[in-house]
Amino acid sequence: ATHAIGKWHCGFQLKEQTPTHRGFDSFLGYYHAEENYFTQMYGNTDLPTCGNRTCCGVDFSEGNSPNEIAPSTKNGTYSTYVYAERAVNIIANHPVEKPLYMYLPFQNIHGPTEAPERFAKLYNQSQFVPQRLKIVACLSALDEAVGNITSALKSKGMWENTILIFHSDNGGDIGVAGNGMNNYPLRGGKWTHWEGGVRIVGFIHSPLIPEARRGTHYSGMIHVTDWRATWAALAGVEPDNSGPFPLDGHNIWPAIISGGDSPRTEVVHQVLTSPWVNQSCSVHNWDHRTTCHYTNCGGSIRVGNYKLLLGYPGFPDHSFPIPFPHHPDQKEACRNATVPGTLESLPCNKGCLFDVTVDKMESNDISAAHPDIVEQLTKKLLDYSKEGLPRRNQGVPDPPSKCEIVRSTGYWQPYMD
């Protein structure tokens, strides 16, 4: 049995793009990138109601088959509670002898970062700036939810044969003043190719892990595409490999439980973007000073210990020390930041090279000392950029009528069927 609970964000123009049409037996969650935690409202996310917004409504759907997917009536409750309850109920009603895969991308701690007041009261509030307090409260809510789910697995007698994988999808967003995120000791954050944006934290917990490996740190290279191959191997099935290219993923389970070398030796963080390939990078590609995010123009690849950045890796590109300080002037610093205006002025126009195994802060550009490595990695990145397939099943540009179904029903749902 396979179940998806929480954030989808993989398309919903057509029903065929929704979870129960893409292999999941059931779904409860939302389609967009974010929404209000308490009302499940999207279109005016920071407020509990739509206000005067016209393209705004509840983004909450559920179903147990492709034909049943429909707006959910469970909105109005803190989403983390709803998702944890759904997971616990699935576990309680699941036959122990039958395999179970549960994909549970909680909303916490994505913006707008909300949590019931009782979680904030767990902390000495005088020690936190307001936004940091919101984040730790949101994390505590998540911690409680994961605890409830693991307790359900133990009560059902399933825990001894369960593998729990927990990880983020990107680094913290440090681009807005006082938002409370911190990726130290990594440089940069979400929206960038710096390590703070692409290198994330995670852990694996399971009684199936050998005792000698428990509580240890694994530093081998892992990419999100490796999970499919790993889960398939653990389930004893062969993944579908009928596409135009072989699957990118590797089975990393043997390396994790042994502490050995990862079968993965390289990661393409970003194929070269069109403006870079067309030699048309300009300030308009990244200058978003109102949000303090400067979208990258170029690409990035890591091979072994070395990481190559080409073009503009993105801004913010700094790091905060721990303990977390408050930086009230951060947005002003963003507004005053020097943003390159031409291709020639890009900070990594010729390529920046870092040994990220010893230089996590990416402060020592060694490209001048290793021009051969820069040349090799640049060629690799160029080759990958040329052979990549166009994105499939991504729908078409939204029609002007995309909000009509929201206005008429109050709910976000597929609108081009």
Side-chain angles (χ1 to χ4, degrees):
T2 59
H3 303 276
I5 308 170
K7 180 176 179 176
W8 179 238
H9 205 206
C10 291
F12 71 102
Q13 285 182 332
L14 306 170
K15 287 182 180 178
E16 288 71 22
Q17 298 168 333
T18 59
T20 53
H21 282 269
R22 290 193 168 186
F24 287 99
D25 297 323
S26 76
F27 172 65
L28 171 64
Y30 62 104
Y31 294 132
H32 283 96
E34 61 185 23
E35 63 180 7
N36 187 282
Y37 280 70
F38 292 93
T39 66
Q40 288 71 49
M41 199 74 67
Y42 176 80
N44 202 22
T45 307
D46 293 330
L47 298 174
T49 65
C50 285
N52 61 359
R53 302 287 182 91
T54 57
C55 195
C56 174
V58 173
D59 183 359
F60 220 43
S61 297
E62 65 176 318
N64 294 314
S65 74
N67 295 326
E68 291 182 13
I69 198 78
S72 172
T73 59
K74 293 183 172 64
N75 65 295
T77 302
Y78 185 59
S79 65
T80 312
Y81 295 163
V82 178
Y83 300 149
E85 180 182 30
R86 174 65 165 240
V88 168
N89 288 339
I90 287 173
I91 293 166
N93 293 289
H94 183 79
V96 175
E97 68 280 2
K98 187 177 180 179
L100 171 66
Y101 171 69
M102 191 181 299
Y103 172 61
L104 213 173
F106 280 99
Q107 187 171 0
N108 312 53
I109 57 172
H110 197 287
T113 322
E114 299 166 320
E117 183 63 24
R118 69 182 181 92
F119 293 105
K121 289 181 178 179
L122 296 172
Y123 300 92
N124 182 343
Q125 300 189 21
S126 64
Q127 296 181 357
F128 296 90
V129 296
Q131 189 59 27
R132 186 64 175 176
L133 182 62
K134 286 184 180 180
I135 286 175
V136 297
C138 213
L139 277 172
S140 293
L142 175 62
D143 185 59
E144 179 184 90
V146 174
N148 291 342
I149 294 168
T150 55
S151 294
L153 287 165
K154 292 174 182 177
S155 297
K156 185 71 174 182
M158 297 171 63
W159 181 247
E160 294 303 312
N161 199 36
T162 291
I163 300 172
L164 172 67
I165 300 174
F166 186 102
H167 67 82
S168 179
D169 58 347
N170 48 251
D173 184 354
I174 62 174
V176 180
N179 75 348
M181 301 289 183
N182 193 334
N183 300 310
Y184 185 86
L186 306 179
R187 182 177 179 178
K190 183 178 180 178
W191 311 104
T192 78
H193 291 161
W194 301 110
E195 288 292 274
V198 301
R199 185 172 181 172
I200 54 92
V201 294
F203 66 83
I204 300 176
H205 193 291
S206 175
L208 301 176
I209 296 175
E211 288 192 18
R213 290 291 297 149
R214 298 176 189 178
T216 62
H217 175 260
Y218 184 71
S219 58
M221 203 182 303
I222 301 173
H223 187 261
V224 66
T225 55
D226 296 327
W227 290 129
R228 183 184 184 189
T230 303
W231 291 327
L234 288 168
V237 299
E238 287 292 330
D240 181 6
N241 199 18
S242 60
F245 288 112
L247 292 177
D248 291 331
H250 300 272
N251 175 15
I252 55 171
W253 187 250
I256 289 174
I257 62 173
S258 68
D261 293 337
S262 170
R264 174 169 292 282
T265 58
E266 62 184 41
V267 168
V268 179
H269 296 304
Q270 172 66 58
V271 293
L272 293 169
T273 56
S274 296
W276 172 270
V277 174
N278 299 330
Q279 299 288 286
S280 62
C281 289
S282 71
V283 70
H284 301 294
N285 292 123
W286 54 74
D287 191 356
H288 303 289
R289 293 171 186 253
T290 56
T291 59
C292 196
H293 296 139
Y294 300 138
T295 307
N296 56 74
C297 182
S300 175
I301 186 172
R302 177 179 169 183
V303 178
N305 294 348
Y306 296 105
K307 176 181 174 183
L308 176 74
L309 294 161
L310 273 178
Y312 191 60
F315 189 89
D317 60 358
H318 49 268
S319 181
F320 297 142
I322 294 177
F324 182 83
H326 183 38
H327 290 264
D329 297 324
Q330 185 179 342
K331 186 167 284 189
E332 185 65 26
C334 292
R335 284 192 288 267
N336 295 332
T338 300
V339 183
T342 64
L343 187 65
E344 291 72 22
S345 62
L346 296 174
C348 295
N349 180 38
K350 303 297 183 183
C352 297
L353 185 68
F354 302 95
D355 182 343
V356 290
T357 60
V358 296
D359 182 20
K360 295 182 176 68
M361 193 76 78
E362 294 170 286
S363 58
N364 181 27
D365 180 6
I366 57 176
S367 58
H370 299 281
D372 54 331
I373 298 177
V374 172
E375 182 179 359
Q376 292 168 15
L377 269 58
T378 299
K379 184 179 184 305
K380 264 186 174 291
L381 194 54
L382 284 168
D383 290 342
Y384 281 133
S385 300
K386 292 175 183 176
E387 73 178 28
L389 289 172
R391 289 180 293 173
R392 295 181 297 169
N393 198 20
Q394 61 178 325
V396 297
D398 285 326
S401 60
K402 78 168 189 174
C403 296
E404 288 181 3
I405 194 168
V406 185
R407 296 189 188 109
S408 62
T409 67
Y411 283 85
W412 287 95
Q413 50 192 304
Y415 50 91
M416 291 185 64
D417 288 310

